[in-house]
Amino acid sequence: ERRQKRFEKKPLDLHRLVETTWEGHELHLRENGFATRWEAADPPYPVVGDEDALAQILVNLLSNAEKYSGDRKEIDLHTYTDDGNVCVSVLDRGPGVPAGEERKIFEAFYRAHDSLSSGIQGTGLGLTLARQLAREHGGEIVYSRRQGGGSNFTLKLPRADRKESSSINS
């Protein structure tokens, strides 16, 4: 919150970072009985950012999908570009966010009432920090209900301009 974190922002291909993060997390998910799938539009996904901070956002979204999955152990990852943004969506088949609480889930220490009683571990800071990191990169994290049940959390980052993206490919 104090904006004291120093980021080492540089041009990078978010596809490569997502791939590395997904590989490590997917193994863990499969070992815990999850069906997983990654749908990716053709890379590269040029952005300017701090690799550690962006990886932290992805790990948070994947961990939340795992924690809140409920009985339907299914997590999908979608990566694509849209309206000048690079987007990474993490989708689960859990109960979703209760109606009327969509904005509150990004507030510090907020946890949906049923997550407290179900014994789900956490402090209620993950989404707050993830959104703050996304905003530090000129992006955003948005929530929507997943068609057929569950949640869809999407990280949106501004696509780097063409001049920067040419250096990413080389």
Side-chain angles (χ1 to χ4, degrees), residues 18-77:
V18 170
E19 183 175 42
T20 303
T21 305
W22 177 247
E23 284 175 359
H25 231 81
E26 184 187 30
L27 178 61
H28 165 78
L29 291 169
R30 286 185 179 273
E31 287 174 347
N32 286 297
F34 281 83
T36 61
R37 183 179 58 183
W38 180 15
E39 291 182 16
D42 291 336
Y45 311 145
V47 299
V48 175
D50 180 288
E51 287 187 45
D52 291 338
L54 296 176
Q56 184 178 354
I57 294 169
L58 296 173
V59 167
N60 175 274
L61 296 179
L62 289 167
S63 295
N64 276 358
E66 178 183 9
K67 278 194 274 189
Y68 293 96
S69 66
D71 294 334
R72 292 180 67 187
K73 293 186 168 197
E74 178 185 320
I75 295 177
D76 292 347
L77 184 70

Side-chain angles (χ1 to χ4, degrees), residues 10 54 66 74 105 123 127 167:
K10 60 183 180 185
L54 296 176
E66 178 183 9
E74 178 185 320
I105 60 174
T123 61
L127 284 175
S167 66

Side-chain angles (χ1 to χ4, degrees), residues 79-116:
T79 51
Y80 55 97
T81 58
D82 182 40
D83 292 331
N85 292 307
V86 174
C87 302
V88 181
S89 293
V90 177
L91 301 95
D92 65 50
R93 289 291 184 191
V97 175
E101 297 188 20
E102 295 88 347
R103 287 188 178 164
K104 294 179 185 177
I105 60 174
F106 293 102
E107 295 175 6
F109 305 111
Y110 180 80
R111 297 186 65 205
H113 178 70
D114 58 347
S115 70
L116 295 172

Side-chain angles (χ1 to χ4, degrees), residues 85 131-141 155-158:
N85 292 307
R131 179 177 257 185
Q132 182 178 330
L133 289 172
R135 288 178 172 174
E136 290 283 339
H137 286 78
E140 187 60 82
I141 296 178
L155 167 64
K156 294 183 176 190
L157 295 171

